[in-house]
């Protein structure tokens, strides 16, 4: 069971209060883009074993979206951060580096 | 004009805690930039209560102002006064980007009282209901079994629960089951 802290309302709740929204920091390719780009956006996911970034929604609470950084093998949550960002904030990355030296995830490390 | 009735028409249940549906209550969803002074002033003047801080609720009698999310408040007022209150907010915020909507008939409101009230909620929601972790004056939006709900502890130690009207009977039955005599856990009392 994951224990997440919503950065929007500050509630620390367990998994069933939230809803997983899939992989984080995906760049959308919509109408007018090449089939290859759309395919990449649609299907090519990290599906990481270890450090992973996800989108979550506090659907039984304040209803806001946010990002979570966690480990898919140990279910350890490194932290949560605002949805209004293109990349994980530095303090989250530092926390992960302290616990999982040498980690990388897509272009982030 | 048809006569408005609440979802369960004031149903009650007495177990080791008392569960009652509080009948009709005026409720207004207010959304907008809660940090702006105009918004704060409009809400607090109309309802007669200060705008609560994060996850807090201010209440007096039938009136309450609850923090629902960073851009949303829920105002509770007597059922008949909703129209006037919304008119007051509309007037104060004319031209601004905001929303004030009457949701009275889309919600149900319950109150659980008695020494075991916290225990009843603790059985149904993934929330630490000890009085240290969840003191009076705090609001918590969460789920009750399978449906969303919000609740807070009032001045007398009773717990006010708000849920969607469409699941009022489900929530009442949940509370009944959790408050049944002989099912006390005794952990929180």
């Amino acid at each position: 069971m994951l224990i997440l802290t919503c950065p929007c309302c500050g509630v620390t709740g367990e998994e069933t209060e939230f809803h997983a929204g899939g992989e984080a920091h995906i760049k959308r390719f919509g109408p007018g883009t090449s089939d290859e780009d759309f395919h990449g956006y649609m299907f090519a996911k990290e599906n990481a074993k270890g450090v992973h970034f996800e989108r979550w929604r506090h659907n039984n609470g304040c209803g806001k979206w946010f990002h979570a950084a966690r480990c898919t093998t140990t279910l350890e949550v490194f932290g949560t951060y605002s949805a209004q960002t293109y990349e994980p904030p530095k303090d989250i990355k530092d926390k992960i580096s302290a616990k999982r030296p040498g980690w990388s995830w897509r272009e982030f490390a | 004009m048809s006569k408005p009735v609440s979802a369960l028409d004031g149903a009650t249940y007495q177990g080791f805690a008392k569960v009652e549906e509080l009948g009709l209550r005026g409720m207004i969803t207010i959304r907008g930039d809660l940090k702006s002074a105009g918004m704060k002033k409009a809400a607090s003047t109309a309802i007669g209560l200060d705008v609560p801080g994060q996850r807090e609720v201010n209440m007096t009698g039938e009136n309450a102002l609850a923090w629902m999310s960073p851009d949303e408040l829920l105002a509770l007022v007597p059922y008949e006064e909703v129209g006037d209150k919304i008119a007051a907010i509309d007037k104060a915020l004319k031209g601004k980007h905001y929303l004030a909507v009457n949701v009275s008939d889309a919600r149900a409101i319950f109150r659980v009282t008695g020494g075991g009230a916290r225990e009843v909620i603790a059985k149904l929601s993934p929330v630490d209901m000890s009085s240290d972790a969840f003191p009076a004056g705090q609001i918590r939006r969460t789920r009750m079994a399978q449906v969303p709900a919000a609740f807070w502890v009032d001045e007398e130690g009773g717990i006010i629960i708000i849920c969607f009207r469409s699941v009022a009977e489900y929530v009442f039955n949940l509370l009944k089951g959790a408050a049944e005599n002989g099912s006390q856990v005794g952990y929180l009392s």
Side-chain angles (χ1 to χ4, degrees):
Chain A
M1 171 100 22
L2 296 170
I3 309 277
L4 298 169
T5 300
C6 172
C8 302
C9 68
V11 160
T12 298
E14 46 96 327
E15 205 177 320
T16 61
E17 220 180 280
F18 301 90
H19 193 270
E23 201 166 296
H25 308 299
I26 287 171
K27 189 182 174 198
R28 184 170 188 272
F29 289 93
T33 55
S34 72
D35 284 355
E36 215 163 276
D37 282 344
F38 186 75
H39 177 272
Y41 150 69
M42 198 72 193
F43 301 111
K45 300 289 153 66
E46 285 299 307
N47 197 20
K49 182 180 178 187
V51 175
H52 195 35
F53 297 87
E54 286 174 331
R55 304 195 314 147
W56 284 80
R57 182 172 176 256
H58 196 186
N59 66 329
N60 280 327
C62 67
K64 304 293 181 200
W65 284 94
F66 60 92
H67 282 130
R70 68 180 186 99
C71 175
T72 57
T73 35
T74 61
L75 298 190
E76 179 179 6
V77 177
F78 301 115
T80 54
Y81 52 100
S82 163
Q84 284 72 38
T85 176
Y86 291 111
E87 60 175 299
K90 192 171 179 305
D91 62 311
I92 298 275
K93 286 200 243 182
D94 289 347
K95 254 185 231 168
I96 301 172
S97 297
K99 287 172 174 165
R100 303 281 188 283
W103 70 278
S104 75
W105 188 85
R106 251 190 258 155
E107 69 268 37
F108 310 125
Chain B
M1 189 73 192
S2 50
K3 176 177 164 258
V5 286
S6 67
L8 303 176
D9 212 8
T12 61
Y13 174 81
Q14 180 72 55
F16 69 83
K18 187 183 181 195
V19 182
E20 53 188 324
E21 199 228 11
L22 292 183
L24 292 169
R25 181 71 64 90
M27 295 191 207
I28 306 165
T29 287
I30 305 166
R31 297 195 82 152
D33 179 7
L34 297 186
K35 290 193 185 86
S36 78
M39 185 86 203
K40 277 187 179 167
K41 190 158 172 269
S44 64
T45 317
I47 311 303
L49 287 163
D50 288 341
V51 172
Q54 189 181 51
R55 296 199 312 282
E56 286 174 2
V57 52
N58 292 327
M59 60 206 135
T60 164
E62 280 204 18
N63 285 19
L65 203 51
W67 189 96
M68 298 295 270
S69 83
D71 57 2
E72 179 178 347
L73 294 172
L74 180 72
L76 270 65
V77 296
Y79 189 79
E80 306 74 36
E81 294 176 18
V82 170
D84 295 345
K85 303 289 185 195
I86 292 181
I89 296 170
D90 285 343
K91 199 171 160 217
L93 292 176
K94 201 167 190 297
K96 298 250 173 57
H97 182 65
Y98 77 101
L99 174 147
V101 174
N102 180 359
V103 294
S104 314
D105 298 319
R107 302 275 189 277
I109 179 167
F110 298 91
R111 186 160 185 254
V112 181
T113 45
R118 283 174 179 271
E119 193 175 304
V120 171
I121 308 298
K123 286 185 185 180
L124 301 170
S125 296
V127 177
D128 182 351
M129 287 304 290
S130 65
S131 44
D132 297 337
F134 191 69
Q138 271 203 20
I139 182 171
R140 176 68 193 250
R141 290 178 74 180
T142 181
R143 66 181 175 90
M144 275 191 155
Q146 306 198 31
V147 295
F151 49 77
W152 65 84
V153 180
D154 64 20
E155 299 100 328
E156 291 102 47
I159 299 176
I160 306 275
I161 300 145
I162 291 172
C163 67
F164 288 114
R165 183 184 176 120
S166 54
V167 293
E169 192 176 3
Y170 174 84
V171 169
F172 185 64
N173 288 337
L174 282 178
L175 293 167
K176 265 185 6 186
E180 197 176 323
N181 271 320
S183 72
Q184 293 97 320
V185 179
Y187 184 69
L188 287 173
S189 42

